[in-house]
Amino acid sequence: MPVAEPIAPPASVRQLQLATDTVQAGAPVAFRGERLALAPEAFHVTVDGTPVAVDSVAADRVWMRMPGTSASCDAATVSVMMTGPGWAFRGEVAVSPALRVDLPVGGSLIAPMAGHALCLDVDGAAADSARFVFTVMNPVADAAHVAGFTLSGIGRGALAHRKGTVLADGSVQRLPAATAGHAVPAASLAPAFMGRAADTEQEAMVRHLARLDARALPTAMATAPAHAAAAGTSPAKGASGTALRWQVGEMVNQRVATGSCAAAQPVQARVVYAGPTAVLLEDVSAQHAGRMDEWFARIGDEYERVMLPLVQQQLGNPLARNAALDGDGRVTLLFTPVVNTGMPGTAAFVNACNLYPRSIMSGSSADEVMYIRVPGNGESPADWMRALRSTLVHETKHLASFAERLSRGRHFEEPWLEEATARLAEELYSRTFRGGGQWLGRTTFASSVHCELVWCDDRPLMMYTHFAALHQFLRNPAALSPLGPVSPADATPYASAWSLVRSVLDATRGDEARQMRALVRGDAGVGIAALTSVSGKSPADMLDQWMADQVDADTRRTAGVLRSWDSGSVWEGLAAMFPGVFRGAPLRATLLEAGIWEHTGTVRGYTAAFAVLHGIGSGTQRVMLQSDARGTARVRVTRVD
């Protein structure tokens, strides 16, 4: 709201003096006086008639921050008026439009754009090897939003006539030769993502994300009261089913709801494991039916002993709706070839329809049921189980989210965050293995991902799948987004969304389990608003922290930083193990050699583009950033060498 311009001071009022001859846009500026120790609110300031707040007041200084003065890098003169008790300043002030960037190695600053443009003077500090990373962020929390930008190098002093260069595919880690980088072929990232061995990893994750979108039910259903009674009982378990109701070897009828909530495909199954909190069923039409009981017993034991308790204690309870369904206190795991043939490339899935009574969803099983693929042709039980186990934890988290939100009358989560927290469940599972990680433990490649790949101590695939997909995201971050796929073939949100949430939890350093439960159960809301609630930070600040983490990982400037993962170690380990597929520093950046140059690009919502400026030497490189998204662009400048 406009503030009335202060009345010009009478002649008896003493005049404040500028404390410096150099005034820069966006930088603090001091005015000298004496006996000025008053509250900042006692002073009224306008710049070209626009009110500006006073930052602080000391005995002999008043500080304010000079706002941006121009939509270009041209110098400007502004009219400044400041009045306070017994003191005043009024005059024309020449303002350099450029914010000076003079950073030590490892230092950084945020330079938010007030409008369409930002001007920076980057000082090389007389170091030929000085390099600066520009992180151009689009903090709009919408994967469909695209902001265009232009970075221009303006020659000054020693750089006045030097022609700079632009190399589109570089790295923030080092200055590589001018050759194209390696893309990451999805099919080469074996072992398979998420236990989906029947199809490429990319296609499998896209299908899973599509199912997650499809499960979003009408609002009235998504907020159905928790006490709604089941209209029918599960034909397999009966109205008063208990852990003793089903015995191993018993034949039961089941239903597989693969799509519509109004219908389900009937199957006949045999009980292959019956415990107090889980029952495992094998479809009798499976290729290896009757010959895998030992493997099912192992899965059932680990599920009840490790997987289900882990999700219940740290994320949410998959059985939160049990009393309103069949009341048996168990999760049902149905292993059926319907998944293999009807949903190729999918390892397992859950359907929220099953958590409703049949009076609402006629295709419901009225049961906490998970549908899981069986071994395919030429697939050994050991390979099948190795890829499958982390998927069971992943899907159990989905069950927990659906059940908790329905029981609390809350809306289902947005797909990207629903998937991110399922990936968190897999990460928690990896911590149950020796060296598999711990919160803020800076877990390295050697003790975790490497051990998964070489099959240490019967360890399944877990975190390899996270980092392999995250590598794909970092090879093209400006064109992708953690908030959802940008094309039918894009599955990178699986990993980028997990990475974002992991960054938020690490930076917050609160009670990790409490924060994860708030996200899973809906206590914090949905989407970006939920992360904001958990972290206490703005969406822009969370994005900035996440992007800074990626720069740190590639430059290995993480030695003293408490984080859950030493990502730089993982990248280097994967690159050594799979040369030509993974890069030791995957974050793609545009390389800019100091001088006169221009680089244009676009940034999707809630991600960033990266550029590395080098070769400044003893000069100063003026950089102008222009954006077509007024007021949304945000820039971090980091000196890495």
Side-chain angles (χ1 to χ4, degrees), residues 314-341:
Q314 300 197 56
L315 296 166
N317 185 12
L319 297 166
R321 287 273 294 160
N322 191 253
L325 300 173
D326 62 3
D328 76 325
R330 293 182 292 184
V331 176
T332 300
L333 285 71
L334 174 58
F335 297 81
T336 173
V338 173
V339 179
N340 299 54
T341 58

Side-chain angles (χ1 to χ4, degrees), residues 298-547:
R298 290 175 57 185
I299 291 173
D301 173 70
E302 185 183 23
Y303 188 82
E304 289 199 298
R305 182 172 45 83
V306 178
M307 299 177 183
L308 182 58
L310 180 151
V311 173
Q312 288 175 318
Q313 293 164 15
Q314 300 197 56
L315 296 166
N317 185 12
L319 297 166
R321 287 273 294 160
N322 191 253
L325 300 173
D326 62 3
D328 76 325
R330 293 182 292 184
V331 176
T332 300
L333 285 71
L334 174 58
F335 297 81
T336 173
V338 173
V339 179
N340 299 54
T341 58
M343 303 181 67
T346 299
F349 71 94
V350 297
N351 192 329
C353 298
N354 289 320
L355 298 180
Y356 289 88
R358 289 183 195 150
S359 59
I360 296 178
M361 299 287 179
S362 59
S364 171
S365 293
D367 184 18
E368 300 87 349
V369 61
M370 185 187 310
Y371 305 114
I372 308 157
R373 67 182 290 271
V374 296
N377 291 328
E379 185 179 13
S380 72
D383 285 337
W384 167 77
M385 194 168 158
R386 179 191 184 195
L388 179 69
R389 286 155 65 193
S390 67
T391 303
L392 301 183
V393 181
H394 181 111
E395 299 302 329
T396 301
K397 198 262 24 171
H398 286 322
L399 272 179
S401 176
F402 299 157
E404 291 278 17
R405 287 167 184 264
L406 282 170
S407 69
R408 296 163 186 270
R410 290 171 180 159
H411 290 280
F412 286 143
E413 184 54 87
E414 293 180 8
W416 69 270
L417 188 50
E418 176 66 32
E419 197 56 53
T421 52
R423 280 296 182 101
L424 278 179
E426 294 181 76
E427 181 185 6
L428 297 177
Y429 178 49
S430 76
R431 295 180 187 176
T432 66
F433 295 84
R434 183 169 56 87
Q438 61 183 12
W439 187 40
L440 303 180
R442 296 189 49 76
T443 304
T444 65
F445 175 78
S447 68
S448 59
V449 177
H450 178 264
C451 214
E452 295 174 22
L453 293 170
V454 300
W455 215 336
C456 297
D457 54 31
D458 190 36
R459 191 173 303 199
L461 293 173
M462 298 169 288
M463 298 309 297
Y464 167 77
T465 65
H466 294 53
F467 283 102
L470 183 59
H471 189 281
Q472 289 181 300
F473 169 80
L474 295 175
R475 291 302 300 131
N476 198 15
L480 302 168
S481 174
L483 305 189
V486 300
S487 73
D490 175 25
T492 57
Y494 254 80
S496 55
W498 161 76
S499 177
L500 168 63
V501 176
R502 170 46 57 210
S503 171
V504 168
L505 295 179
D506 282 359
T508 305
R509 299 180 192 174
D511 182 333
E512 186 193 36
R514 181 186 61 78
Q515 292 170 328
M516 290 188 295
R517 285 193 298 270
L519 292 174
V520 171
R521 301 189 308 188
D523 299 344
V526 298
I528 284 294
L531 276 186
T532 298
S533 175
V534 163
S535 71
K537 295 183 178 180
S538 70
D541 286 342
M542 292 189 299
L543 174 62
D544 174 57
Q545 178 62 60
W546 179 44
M547 294 292 97

Side-chain angles (χ1 to χ4, degrees), residues 10-44:
S12 60
V13 172
R14 291 172 292 176
Q15 298 300 304
L16 293 163
Q17 303 294 322
L18 269 176
T20 177
D21 294 332
T22 304
V23 178
Q24 290 185 302
V29 56
F31 295 83
R32 291 196 307 263
E34 58 186 33
R35 295 191 296 278
L36 297 173
L38 301 164
E41 295 79 12
F43 289 85
H44 301 278

